[in-house]
Amino acid sequence: MTDVELVVDCRCELGEGPVWHEQEMALYWVNINGFEQHRFDPESGEHQVENFDQHVTAVVPREKGGFVMSMRDGFALTDGFGPPAEMVAQVEKETNTRFNDGKADPAGRFIAGTMGFDAALGAGALYRFDTDYSVTRLLDGVSISNGLAWSADGSTLYYIDTLSFQVEAFDYDLETGDLSNRRQAIEFGRDTGYPDGMSIDEEGFLWVAFWGGSAVRRFSTEGKLDREIKLPVPNVSSCAFGGPDLSDLYITTAYEGLSPDLREAHPTSGSLYRASPGVRGGRAYRFKG
C-alpha cells in the first residue's frame, strides 16, 4: 500500500487529465463539467483556475508556448494559461458527444477521443490532431474514450475505452501516427470499478485509475496486477507523474454521479491527490503545432 496526500482541495465535479509541465514545474488538469483549467505549483503551493465558455476536456503544453486542448466542439489552441482559446478544428459539433481524454504522442501530435453525453455505447471515436491542424479519425465505435500511454520507444500505444473493461494495445507508426495490429493487453473484472485515465512508468508498467473503484492500480503490460494505491473517494479519474524527478504520482478525482449521501461521506471527492509510488514516470510529450 502507498499513502496518498490531499494537495489541492478543489472538489471538481469532473477533475481529469493531469499533465506535468516540465518547463514550468507545475501540474495542469481540467474540470470538464466546470469548463475549467487548473494549475498547481508544488513549490509555492499556489492553485489557479481559469474558466472557458465550453467543456475543456484535456490540455497539453505546446512546444511554442501555450496549450492545445480538446473541447466540446473540437481542437483549440491557447497562447498561455486560460482563455482565449482559438478553435482550429471542429469535430462532431452537431452531435450529442464531446471530447474526453487526450495526450500528445512522442512525435508531437495530439491524440484525443470522444464520448456521448449519455455515455451511449459506440457513440464516440478516437482522433489524431496533427501539427498542421488536420484531423484524422483513428477508431470508430468508441463508448468512453479514456486512457492513453505509449511505450518508451513509441512503437506501442496503450488505450482504454472504459466500457470495454480492458487496455488495448496497437502498433504505433511514429512517422504517420497510424494504428495497426489491435489486440487486448489487459482485461479487467466488472467488480473493481471502471478503468479510466492511465499513465506509464519508466519500467513500462501501466498505472490505471478506476472510476468507482477508489484506486489507482499498477499493471504489467501482460496484465499482472502489481500494486494498488487506495484513495478516500470513490471516483478516481486519472493520474500523471510529476515533480522534479517525475517520482510523484498526481491523481485527479470527481464527484460527478455521487449521491448526496456519498458526497457527504467523501467530502474531498473531486480534489487533487499525490502519492510517492517509488518509481518514476516518463516525460509528458508536448504538442509541436
Side-chain angles (χ1 to χ4, degrees), residues 239-258:
C239 58
F241 285 92
D245 60 356
L246 300 176
S247 63
D248 294 323
L249 187 68
Y250 286 93
I251 303 167
T252 53
T253 66
Y255 69 76
E256 182 187 60
L258 297 184

Side-chain angles (χ1 to χ4, degrees), residues 6 136 214:
L6 176 65
T136 301
S214 300

Side-chain angles (χ1 to χ4, degrees), residues 60-69 76-77 88 104-105 107-111 129-133 285-289:
V60 166
R62 297 171 68 191
E63 198 167 76
K64 62 179 66 175
F67 295 85
V68 61
M69 52 183 57
L77 302 173
V88 292
D105 77 359
R109 310 174 190 91
F110 185 46
I111 311 298
F129 181 53
D130 281 277
T131 56
D132 62 0
Y133 306 161
Y285 303 114
R286 291 181 292 171
F287 180 63
K288 294 184 177 180

Side-chain angles (χ1 to χ4, degrees), residues 104 118 128 134 148 165 184 186 229 280 283:
D118 57 358
R128 184 181 71 237
S134 62
L148 297 156
F165 287 91
Q184 183 184 85
I186 306 172
I229 298 175
R280 300 195 310 171
R283 297 169 58 190

Side-chain angles (χ1 to χ4, degrees), residues 89-123:
Q90 291 186 336
V91 182
E92 298 186 14
K93 184 179 179 181
E94 304 303 323
T95 64
N96 188 36
T97 60
R98 64 161 174 81
F99 271 92
N100 201 42
D101 207 356
K103 287 183 180 178
D105 77 359
R109 310 174 190 91
F110 185 46
I111 311 298
T114 58
M115 59 174 286
F117 277 101
D118 57 358
L121 289 174

